[in-house]
Amino acid sequence: MMNALSSLAFTNPWILAALAGLPLIWFILRITPPVPKTLIFPAARFLEGLVPDSPTTAKTPWWILLMRLIIVTLVILALAGPILHPQTGLQGDGDVYIVIDNDWAAAPLWDVQVKKAQDIITQAGRQNRAIYLATTAAEAGEASTLLQGPLTATEAQPLLKGLKPYSWPADYAATKSAVENAVEKSEIKTASFFWLSHGLAESGSAELLQTLSSNGDLSLYQPSANDMPLLLRPSQQTTAKPAVLVEKPDGVSITAPINVQILAANGQALDSQTVNFNDSDGKNSKNVARLEFDIPDNLRSQITQIRLVNQRSAGGVLLLDNNFKRRQAGIAAPSGTEESIPFIEAQYYLEKALEPLAYIKTGTTPDLIKAKTDVIFLPDIAGMPTTELNELDEWVGKGGVLVRFAGPNMAQSSNNELLPAPLLKGTRSLEGTLTWEDPAKLSPFPKDSPFFGIEVSNEITIRQQLLSTQTDEDDVMSWATLEDGTPLITAAQHERGLLIFIHTTASAEWSDLVLSGTFIQILKRVMALSPGQVNNAETSGVLQPILYLDGNGNLQQPAPFIMPLGITTNDAPTIDSKHPPGFYGRTGYETAVNLGDSIPSLTAFNDIPLGVSALGYTTSNERNLKPLLLFFALGIFFIDWLVMMLMSKRWSSFMPLRTKSTAAAIALLFILLGTPHHALAQSNAEAHMKYANNLYLAYIETNDPRIDNLTRQGLENLADVLKTRTSVEPEGVVALNAETDEMAFFPIIYWAISPQQQTLSDQAIRNLQNYMDHGSTILIDTREPSKGTQAIENSNQGILRRIMGAMNIPPLKPIDNDHVLGRSFYLLRSFPGVYEGGTIWVEDGQSVGRDGVSPIIIGSHDWAGAWAASGGQRQLLGGDRQQELALRFGVNIVMYALTGNYKADQVHLPYILERLDQ
C-alpha cells in the first residue's frame, strides 16, 4: 500500500484541501423538510383509513448519501491532477527546444514521436518552462521549416497535434538556421534540446547535431533497429516477373521479417513476399534485398503499386507507371489461332522472344485492339478486311505501335496500307543458285535509332528481304540497315502512333535475326515505344500533378501547394515540399515519381558527440488518473439518478411508446415469352449436327441463279461418281452464304466467280479467311479461258483480284507435273473442265499443319460446267474423253482435300513408275 502511494503524485495538490469539507456535505445531504404543523380541520375525518399510493421518504437513505459523497470525493481527486508513476522532471531550468523529424522517414514512428513530445511538453509545463517546437521538413509549399515559441504547455499541445509527417526529405540546414536565430533572440541562454529523430543520418543532420549540442544539453531519441525506416527502390533488371528492391539503413541489424505486397488499383493485394535481412545463408545480409512477385497474366495489368506492410510511409511505397509495368504485346493471327508450331511458324519465334518482356496475347486484330494491347505484331499478314484495316488505322493513330514483318505473303501483295513506305514487288534474294550475292550482315545501329547501343551479333545473316520504294519523305526513318546500306528496319510516325516494318521474316526462313539475342533487345526497345512512351510524349518538359503521396504513403488528389514538375530524360526529378512524390503527367504521358529514385543510400546515426544523451523511445509508465476518476464519478452519478427515478416511480415515463406497424407484400410476376428464334436456333443446331455426321459437297452462292443451278448440278453429278467409284459417299450438296453460314463442316468448297459477283463484306472475308486458315480448301473457278500469269489478275475483269486484295492469301505458284493433286486417286497429266489448257494455281510450298493440302486452288476451267455436262445437259468440245477427265479431276480434288498428301511419299513411287512404264 505504501509503495502504491509513493508512486502517486498530484499536479494540483492544494485542491485536496476540499476533502475536509466532506462532513459538511454529509450534514447538508441529511437535512429533511421541517415537521409539519398540526391543524384542526373537521373535514379531516373523511381521510381516515386512506393509505397514500406514493409515500414520501422521511429521510435520505444512508447508502444514497454514501454514493453522493463518493461522487464528490472522486471529483475533488480528479481536479487535483493525480499522476500514477510520474516521470522525473526535466533537467535544467532554461527553455525547452523540441526538434521533431517530420519528413518521409518519420512516418512509421510518428505516433511514438508525438507521444514522447507530449511527455516532454507536460514535464516542461509542470516546471513552467518556455517551450520551442521545431520541425525538420519544410512546410507544404514553403521553403522553410516550422519553429514556434516561446510557448506554454497549453499552447504547445494543440500545436503538436496539428503536426504531421510529410512525404519529402528533411531540410536540416533550414532547421539549424531557425534554431540558431531563436537561441540568439532568447533572453535565457541556457536551454535543453530534445531531438526526436527517425534514426537516419542525412544531409545536414551532422551540422544540426553539432549546433544543438553546443547550445545546451541535448537528448537524441532514436528508434530501435527493427523500427528503422526502410525504402523501396525499383529494380533495374528486366525480368518476366515484377520485382522491387528493399533497402535498410547501413550498419543496422534488422531481425524482424519484412512483408511486401503488390497491390491493384482498388487496393487488393495481388501477391505478398517476405524478406529477412538476417538470413543464416547470408543471401540478404547486405543492405538491399530483391523480391520478385508471381502474378497471373490476367491480373498483371492491374498492378499500380508495391508497398511495405510493416511501415506506412512514402518511402515504403513504389508507384508503378507505364515505364515500370510490363507491356502487353499482341501477335495477330488471321483467324485467331493461338497455338503455334515450334521452330516453324513466325508466331512461335515472336512468343519466345517476347516472353520475358511482355504479356502476350494472340488473336485476330480486332481482338487485340479490344484487349488494349500496347504493341501489335503482324507476321507476314498482307491483306485484311476493310473494317479491320480501318480499326487498326484508328488504333495506330491514337498512339499504338504496329510492327509488321516481311514474308512471302507481303512479297506478292500490292497492298501498301499501314507501312512506313510502299514496297517493291518481289523479294531480294541474297543466297541461291541464281545469285552471285552472299548473305548480308547487319550494320551497327545508327545514333538516331532507338536501337543504338545494342550489340549486333556477327552470326546474324540476312538471306532474303523486301525493299521499299525510294522516298524523300522526312518521316520515314531507317533504324537498321545491312552492310550494303539497304534498310532492314524502317519506321514512320502515323498521327500519334508509330509504324515499324522489319524487312525480313519473323521466322528463321529468310534470316538468322530471330535466332539471336539482338532480336530480343530490339523487341525490348520496341516495347518501350508503346503508348505512354517517347512516341506519345517527350520525357522532358513540365508535367502537371495527377496524384501525390502524403506522409503516410496514401495517394491523394493534388493540393494547391503542389507545383508542376520539370523533368528531363537523364536526371531524376527533385522531390521537395512543392514537388512531393506521386504521379505527374500531361495528355498522353504519365510518370511515377518515387522517393527511391532520388534518395541516396540510407545510413544510421553512428558518430554521436560526447555529451549527447542517446536515448530510445521507451514506453513511459506515467498515467494520468484524472479521466479515470471522472469516468467513475459520472458512472456513480448515473446510478444515483436511476435509483431516484425508480424510487419516485417515474420509470414508466421512459418506456418506449407503442407504435403501430403495418406490412405490405409486393409480388413481381415474371412472364417468360417464347420467341421464334428458339426454333430457328434448334433448326441450325440440327443442320450443323447433320453436316458434322455426314459428308456434303458445298459451293458459294453467287448472284446469278443460272450459275448456281449449274454448280449444284455439277456437284450432284460428282457426288454420284464418288459413290460409284470410291468409298466416299456424299450425302448431298449444300449452298453456302459466305457471310452468314458456317463453313467448318465442309472439307472443300467450290466457288464459281460470276460477272455479277459483288464485293464481299468484311464478315464474309473473315469467314473465308478462317475457313482457309484451319485446314480446309476453297476451289475458285473463274470460268473463262485464261493463259499464263494473267489467269489471276484479269479473270472476270479483275473481280477475283479485288476479292483477294482484302484476304491474307499465301504465295501461289502454277501447279507442276509432280503435284500430288495429279495422283491423289487417278493419275492425271491435265485437269480439264469446259475449258482446257489454263493455269491452275496452288500454294507455293507445303502448308504447315495441313498435311500438305493447299488452302486455295484457283483455275479458270469451269469444272462444275463439265461435271454437269456429264448428266447429258451439253457436250464438251473434247467429247467423252474430256468429260471423263473432268470427272476424274473432281474425284482427285475431293480425295486430295480428304486425305492430304499421303500419295506424295516414296512408298508408292515404285508402283507408280511401274504403271507409267506400262
Side-chain angles (χ1 to χ4, degrees):
M1 184 68 179
M2 296 301 296
N3 291 334
L5 293 176
S6 63
S7 60
L8 183 65
F10 295 89
T11 57
N12 302 309
W14 54 270
I15 297 182
L16 295 176
L19 294 175
L22 289 178
L24 179 61
I25 296 175
W26 174 276
F27 177 77
I28 294 175
L29 292 176
R30 284 186 58 86
I31 294 177
T32 58
V35 178
K37 296 180 179 180
T38 302
L39 296 177
I40 299 174
F41 181 59
R45 67 180 59 186
F46 292 104
L47 301 178
E48 184 179 358
L50 295 179
V51 179
D53 294 333
S54 53
T56 303
T57 304
K59 60 180 180 180
T60 305
W62 68 268
W63 49 275
I64 293 180
L65 291 177
L66 180 61
M67 281 196 302
R68 293 174 179 177
L69 287 178
I70 293 175
I71 292 173
V72 175
T73 303
L74 292 175
V75 170
I76 294 173
L77 292 175
L79 295 178
I83 303 295
L84 185 64
H85 304 296
Q87 294 184 0
T88 57
L90 303 179
Q91 295 182 356
D93 55 0
D95 296 339
V96 173
Y97 287 80
I98 302 175
V99 180
I100 182 170
D101 281 334
N102 65 330
D103 60 343
W104 70 270
L109 212 64
W110 181 249
D111 292 339
V112 177
Q113 289 178 270
V114 170
K115 181 62 172 61
K116 178 57 67 176
Q118 289 175 340
D119 293 342
I120 297 174
I121 291 173
T122 300
Q123 294 294 334
R126 294 172 185 171
Q127 300 175 3
N128 295 322
R129 299 171 66 175
I131 302 171
Y132 291 82
L133 193 60
T135 58
T136 59
E139 291 299 294
E142 304 293 338
S144 59
T145 59
L146 175 71
L147 190 147
Q148 293 199 17
L151 305 169
T152 64
T154 305
E155 296 170 339
Q157 290 287 5
L159 182 61
L160 175 65
K161 294 179 179 180
L163 298 180
K164 61 181 180 179
Y166 292 121
S167 57
W168 46 84
D171 187 355
Y172 290 114
T175 304
K176 171 179 174 293
S177 177
V179 171
E180 288 177 339
N181 293 335
V183 171
E184 183 177 353
K185 294 178 181 179
S186 177
E187 297 180 356
I188 303 176
K189 299 304 180 182
T190 59
S192 298
F193 295 93
F194 300 89
W195 186 357
L196 309 183
S197 168
H198 49 54
L200 294 183
E202 300 179 284
S203 175
S205 59
E207 290 77 6
L208 176 61
L209 186 68
Q210 180 64 33
T211 298
L212 298 181
S213 60
S214 60
N215 284 278
D217 297 330
L218 173 60
S219 296
L220 175 64
Y221 289 88
Q222 294 179 283
S224 62
N226 289 331
D227 293 329
M228 291 291 287
L230 304 173
L231 185 64
L232 293 184
R233 299 185 189 272
S235 175
Q236 303 300 324
Q237 301 180 15
T238 301
T239 59
K241 298 180 180 180
V244 68
L245 301 179
V246 183
E247 182 177 349
K248 71 176 181 66
D250 185 23
V252 175
S253 178
I254 297 180
T255 58
I258 298 167
N259 187 259
V260 185
Q261 288 182 344
I262 191 164
L263 305 180
N266 59 1
Q268 179 183 3
L270 302 180
D271 191 17
S272 178
Q273 297 289 337
T274 301
V275 60
N276 195 334
F277 284 100
N278 198 32
D279 285 346
S280 58
D281 57 2
K283 178 180 178 181
N284 294 322
S285 58
K286 297 183 179 180
N287 297 332
V288 179
R290 187 175 185 275
L291 293 179
E292 289 186 351
F293 299 89
D294 190 10
I295 305 297
D297 291 342
N298 60 332
L299 296 178
R300 291 181 179 179
S301 60
Q302 303 180 21
I303 300 173
T304 58
Q305 59 180 275
I306 302 177
R307 179 183 293 271
L308 287 173
V309 178
N310 309 66
Q311 295 187 357
R312 302 285 293 181
S313 72
V317 177
L318 185 66
L319 301 177
L320 311 180
D321 57 11
N322 287 333
N323 294 319
F324 190 89
K325 293 180 181 178
R326 205 170 177 223
R327 307 295 196 279
Q328 183 168 354
I331 303 176
S335 300
T337 305
E338 295 186 0
E339 296 183 359
S340 59
I341 300 179
F343 305 106
I344 296 179
E345 291 188 343
Q347 178 181 331
Y348 171 80
Y349 289 94
L350 283 173
E351 289 175 349
K352 290 300 180 183
L354 290 169
E355 190 173 20
L357 307 175
Y359 313 134
I360 302 173
K361 180 175 179 59
T362 304
T364 61
T365 304
D367 292 339
L368 300 180
I369 294 175
K370 291 178 182 178
K372 298 181 180 180
T373 53
D374 298 304
V375 182
I376 293 180
F377 295 86
L378 299 185
D380 192 24
I381 296 179
M384 62 185 66
T386 304
T387 56
E388 291 187 14
L389 188 65
N390 293 337
E391 288 180 11
L392 191 59
D393 183 275
E394 182 180 359
W395 176 81
V396 176
K398 291 181 179 179
V401 178
L402 178 65
V403 183
R404 305 188 67 175
F405 289 85
N409 295 351
M410 295 289 292
Q412 69 173 9
S413 174
S414 59
N415 187 347
N416 288 308
E417 298 290 337
L418 296 180
L419 287 171
L423 299 177
L424 297 174
K425 286 190 175 181
T427 64
R428 179 195 181 197
S429 180
L430 301 175
E431 183 181 52
T433 57
L434 300 180
T435 179
W436 295 97
E437 296 183 88
D438 295 326
K441 298 286 186 179
L442 189 61
S443 296
F445 298 106
K447 291 185 177 180
D448 58 350
S449 169
F451 311 133
F452 178 72
I454 297 177
E455 184 179 355
V456 178
S457 174
N458 293 328
E459 298 179 357
I460 298 176
T461 57
I462 309 299
R463 297 181 293 275
Q464 275 185 281
Q465 67 172 145
L466 295 184
L467 298 177
S468 56
T469 59
Q470 297 293 332
T471 178
D472 296 332
E473 297 182 8
D474 296 333
D475 57 348
V476 178
M477 300 166 285
S478 180
W479 286 354
T481 60
L482 301 182
E483 290 179 338
D484 59 4
T486 56
L488 182 67
I489 302 178
T490 55
Q493 200 79 23
H494 183 67
E495 297 181 12
R496 293 175 57 194
L498 193 63
L499 299 173
I500 303 174
F501 183 65
I502 300 179
H503 294 243
T504 188
T505 57
S507 64
E509 184 179 358
W510 285 8
S511 72
D512 300 325
L513 176 63
V514 297
L515 303 177
S516 66
T518 303
F519 184 64
I520 298 178
Q521 295 300 319
I522 289 175
L523 295 186
K524 180 180 178 181
R525 299 284 181 91
V526 168
M527 294 303 300
L529 300 176
S530 58
Q533 294 297 308
V534 296
N535 61 309
N536 285 338
E538 296 293 333
T539 56
S540 60
V542 177
L543 306 179
Q544 299 296 327
I546 300 175
L547 294 171
Y548 83 99
L549 284 175
D550 63 13
N552 293 319
N554 300 317
L555 283 173
Q556 306 289 347
Q557 293 295 325
F561 70 87
I562 303 178
M563 305 299 293
L565 179 67
I567 186 172
T568 61
T569 303
N570 298 323
D571 298 332
T574 301
I575 296 177
D576 53 29
S577 58
K578 297 181 180 179
H579 308 97
F583 287 109
Y584 292 79
R586 55 173 177 263
T587 304
Y589 178 71
E590 180 180 302
T591 185
V593 177
N594 291 293
L595 275 165
D597 296 325
S598 59
I599 298 295
S601 59
L602 306 183
T603 305
F605 265 126
N606 290 322
D607 299 330
I608 300 177
L610 295 175
V612 176
S613 300
L615 305 173
Y617 291 102
T618 56
T619 303
S620 172
N621 294 326
E622 180 178 294
R623 184 174 183 180
N624 187 359
L625 299 180
K626 180 178 180 179
L628 184 63
L629 296 178
L630 291 177
F631 174 78
F632 280 119
L634 181 62
I636 298 175
F637 174 79
F638 177 77
I639 295 174
D640 181 87
W641 170 82
L642 187 63
V643 169
M644 296 304 299
M645 290 295 102
L646 291 174
M647 294 179 65
S648 62
K649 295 188 178 181
R650 297 177 183 175
W651 177 252
S652 59
S653 62
F654 294 90
M655 295 296 291
L657 298 177
R658 295 181 180 179
T659 60
K660 296 182 179 180
S661 61
T662 60
I666 301 175
L668 298 178
L669 300 179
F670 295 92
I671 300 176
L672 301 178
L673 299 177
T675 54
H677 74 274
H678 293 156
L680 179 60
Q682 183 178 5
S683 176
N684 289 338
E686 292 176 355
H688 291 170
M689 183 64 67
K690 180 177 67 172
Y691 297 150
N693 291 334
N694 301 281
L695 174 64
Y696 286 82
L697 302 182
Y699 67 95
I700 301 293
E701 290 181 323
T702 67
N703 293 326
D704 192 333
R706 184 186 63 85
I707 294 177
D708 289 343
N709 292 333
L710 185 64
T711 301
R712 171 177 283 277
Q713 183 61 45
L715 290 176
E716 288 177 350
N717 291 344
L718 178 61
D720 293 337
V721 172
L722 288 168
K723 291 178 182 179
T724 58
R725 301 185 185 185
T726 70
S727 60
V728 178
E729 298 182 355
E731 292 292 328
V733 178
V734 179
L736 297 176
N737 185 309
E739 183 172 358
T740 60
D741 291 336
E742 179 60 55
M743 304 180 186
F745 304 104
F746 310 101
I748 184 169
I749 296 176
Y750 188 92
W751 187 6
I753 301 300
S754 161
Q756 288 77 31
Q757 180 75 55
Q758 295 181 352
T759 303
L760 296 179
S761 66
D762 291 342
Q763 183 60 43
I765 293 175
R766 280 193 289 266
N767 291 341
L768 291 170
Q769 187 74 57
N770 183 70
Y771 178 79
M772 291 188 298
D773 290 342
H774 288 83
S776 303
T777 300
I778 295 181
L779 175 60
I780 300 179
D781 192 346
T782 58
R783 303 178 49 261
E784 62 181 9
S786 181
K787 294 182 181 180
T789 59
Q790 303 301 317
I792 296 180
E793 297 187 2
N794 294 332
S795 59
N796 279 328
Q797 295 78 35
I799 294 176
L800 178 61
R801 179 179 57 81
R802 291 196 299 272
I803 294 174
M804 294 175 58
M807 299 176 65
N808 192 45
I809 303 298
L812 302 177
K813 68 174 181 179
I815 193 171
D816 52 35
N817 294 330
D818 194 39
H819 197 275
V820 71
L821 191 56
R823 56 178 184 271
S824 61
F825 192 83
Y826 289 102
L827 295 177
L828 299 176
R829 297 182 184 274
S830 63
F831 314 104
V834 174
Y835 308 108
E836 189 174 8
T839 304
I840 298 178
W841 298 84
V842 295
E843 184 183 20
D844 184 9
Q846 293 188 350
S847 299
V848 176
R850 305 177 190 274
D851 199 18
V853 177
S854 175
I856 186 171
I857 301 174
I858 302 177
S860 57
H861 299 66
D862 192 7
W863 290 293
W867 301 334
S870 65
Q873 294 188 12
R874 60 175 172 168
Q875 185 69 29
L876 301 183
L877 294 176
D880 294 340
R881 177 63 179 173
Q882 185 173 344
Q883 289 179 347
E884 176 62 23
L885 291 177
L887 287 172
R888 291 186 177 186
F889 172 71
V891 173
N892 272 22
I893 199 168
V894 173
M895 300 300 290
Y896 170 72
L898 292 174
T899 62
N901 65 345
Y902 83 100
K903 283 292 184 72
D905 59 27
Q906 298 299 317
V907 175
H908 299 81
L909 186 58
Y911 303 99
I912 296 174
L913 293 176
E914 181 181 353
R915 185 169 182 179
L916 290 175
D917 291 338
Q918 293 178 356

